[in-house]
Amino acid sequence: MGRPGRRAGRAPPRAAAGGGTAGASGTDPAACETCLVTANDTPQPTATYDSAFLRACRREPVPHTPVWFMRQAGRSLPEYRKVREGVPMLESCMRPELVTEITLQPVRRHDVDAAIYFSDIVVPLKAIGLDLDIKPGVGPVVEQPIRTRADLARLRDLTPEDVSYVTEAIGLLTRELGATPLIGFAGAPFTLASYLVEGGPSRTYENAKAMMYGDPGLWADLLDRLADITAAFLKVQIEAGASAVQLFDSWAGALAPADYRRSVMPASAKVFDAVAGYGVPRIHFGVGTGELLGLMGEAGADVVGVDWRVPLDEAARRVGPGKALQGNLDPTVLFTDKDTVASQAREVLDAAAGLEGHVFNLGHGVMPNTDPDALTRLVEYVHTATAR
């Protein structure tokens, strides 16, 4: 499945059974290929352990700067549009074989250093029975928003059985991916709460922030409940074989640092703490969060994602030592010519030169109209420019 000319030391995705799961017990990766990991296990080397991506997350030397893209599996790929044709978004997230195919598509095409599990941040909310849907051109829409204390009763615990399709899909993926790591992900409590309280996407978050300011007790209980659901969803992914996890706090940039620390950070920290025992890297990303970068690292992340607004050297100063950074090319650069893309990517790499660890990514997700070939060329450029 891999493209010709893959870099030495990187195993391509494969159809044969194989591919260790993150943290599975035993020191022989080949003997761990079908093992499930729990938080009580001692993390051990697996087929993915020495990948450039995981090494960068651990702030260890790498053969080249690893690359993956948020929304790399998505509408920019014609093969994605073909397999998704006629299949609603949430339904596509619940078909293990379709999830597997979509997740693998950008790995095959672009030679990225990691796959990210194809899903949506509202999947665990749908799985516990909330009446919501993802409407084309709009986004997640909640039929009955969460606005009162009585509404909290609708947020029951998430069990592995609720998302058995996730366990099945990740099992299929780890066998296909071999030594290429799989990133699991979930929405952070604040972003999920914003959707639930607003009833859908918002530019102002007026209802969510009104609850945060006006009824801090209810707000804290809501985020705490969502932290439990999010942690359970990440645990399912890790125990099935995800090698790392990313917490997306897409809308946290709407918060002032004091509000984030007081009203949001405790819930995110609870999520990170809940999965700390698995020994997999934990990535934290938000949009417009330049003023929050230090706090996002403090919440418990091993890797802090940075959007395009803050140069990586400045981001490192704000985050402080002991963290790797991920990012942060402006996604719109990919609509320019090849030389401009290379020049802008070079600026990102130069700003990252002094970092303890760096995973190259965009500063936000791949835009739907992006030329897939531009992404493929970008991966090749970063690999070549940073080869050690």
Side-chain angles (χ1 to χ4, degrees):
M1 294 182 188
R3 293 192 303 111
R6 257 180 191 270
R7 300 186 61 80
R10 298 236 1 254
R14 62 180 188 241
T21 54
S25 59
T27 56
D28 179 7
C32 306
E33 289 176 343
T34 59
C35 297
L36 296 181
V37 63
T38 71
N40 295 322
D41 289 339
T42 301
Q44 298 287 348
T46 64
T48 63
Y49 185 81
D50 268 332
S51 64
F53 170 73
L54 291 182
R55 290 184 67 87
C57 291
R58 297 192 302 263
R59 295 174 287 121
E60 296 174 356
V62 291
H64 59 268
T65 297
V67 189
W68 72 278
F69 304 115
M70 291 176 283
R71 292 191 195 143
Q72 64 186 20
R75 287 174 290 172
S76 66
L77 299 181
E79 56 265 42
Y80 169 84
R81 296 192 296 270
K82 181 177 180 180
V83 298
R84 270 288 317 281
E85 190 173 358
V87 184
M89 177 62 187
L90 280 175
E91 183 181 338
S92 70
C93 296
M94 300 174 189
R95 295 187 184 181
E97 291 186 354
L98 182 57
V99 169
T100 300
E101 168 59 23
I102 292 172
T103 302
L104 290 173
Q105 285 175 349
V107 182
R108 296 186 191 122
R109 179 186 274 264
H110 302 315
D111 195 22
V112 285
D113 292 274
I116 184 164
Y117 183 74
F118 175 75
S119 187
D120 189 89
I121 64 171
V122 300
V123 162
L125 302 179
K126 183 72 171 180
I128 63 171
L130 291 187
D131 187 1
L132 60 83
D133 198 7
I134 300 175
K135 296 190 176 181
V138 178
V141 176
V142 181
E143 184 66 26
Q144 295 179 298
I146 303 290
R147 300 269 173 90
T148 69
R149 183 160 293 280
D151 290 333
L152 294 184
R154 290 153 52 198
L155 299 175
R156 67 167 176 84
D157 290 340
L158 177 80
T159 70
E161 291 72 28
D162 292 323
V163 287
S164 59
Y165 47 84
V166 173
T167 300
E168 182 180 348
I170 291 179
L172 294 171
L173 279 164
T174 54
R175 287 192 291 273
E176 293 274 357
L177 285 166
T180 301
L182 175 68
I183 305 167
F185 81 93
F190 172 76
T191 292
L192 294 179
S194 296
Y195 280 119
L196 290 177
V197 177
E198 299 294 338
S202 173
R203 293 184 182 274
T204 61
Y205 315 101
E206 58 195 56
N207 294 297
K209 293 177 80 172
M211 182 189 292
M212 181 181 74
Y213 291 126
D215 195 342
L218 175 58
W219 175 259
D221 290 345
L222 170 59
L223 261 67
D224 189 70
R225 197 83 194 95
L226 291 171
D228 290 338
I229 293 167
T230 297
F233 190 52
L234 290 179
K235 287 178 180 180
V236 167
Q237 295 175 69
I238 296 168
E239 293 187 6
S243 297
V245 290
Q246 176 157 312
L247 192 65
F248 282 88
D249 212 349
S250 305
W251 310 133
L255 297 167
D259 291 330
Y260 180 86
R261 179 184 287 279
R262 177 178 56 248
S263 303
V264 172
M265 184 173 157
S268 293
K270 185 178 185 181
V271 174
F272 283 126
D273 184 63
V275 299
Y278 293 96
V280 302
R282 299 160 296 169
I283 310 168
H284 203 180
F285 175 76
V287 182
T289 52
E291 298 301 318
L292 306 178
L293 290 174
L295 295 173
M296 292 177 71
E298 191 178 327
D302 304 298
V303 183
V304 177
V306 184
D307 76 5
W308 68 93
R309 296 172 177 88
V310 181
L312 289 177
D313 49 356
E314 170 60 18
R317 187 190 67 78
R318 298 182 188 187
V319 171
K323 309 287 183 183
L325 297 187
Q326 179 175 278
N328 67 338
L329 185 71
D330 188 328
T332 62
V333 169
L334 291 163
F335 292 90
T336 66
D337 60 272
K338 291 186 289 185
D339 290 342
T340 302
V341 172
S343 174
Q344 292 293 310
R346 182 71 262 174
E347 288 189 16
V348 171
L349 294 173
D350 288 345
L355 302 186
E356 297 180 53
H358 177 221
V359 176
F360 191 99
N361 207 311
L362 302 181
H364 199 193
V366 175
M367 295 181 174
N369 293 325
T370 303
D371 179 1
D373 290 341
L375 290 166
T376 303
R377 289 192 299 266
L378 177 57
V379 174
E380 184 176 5
Y381 173 80
V382 174
H383 284 173
T384 302
T386 62
R388 273 63 163 177

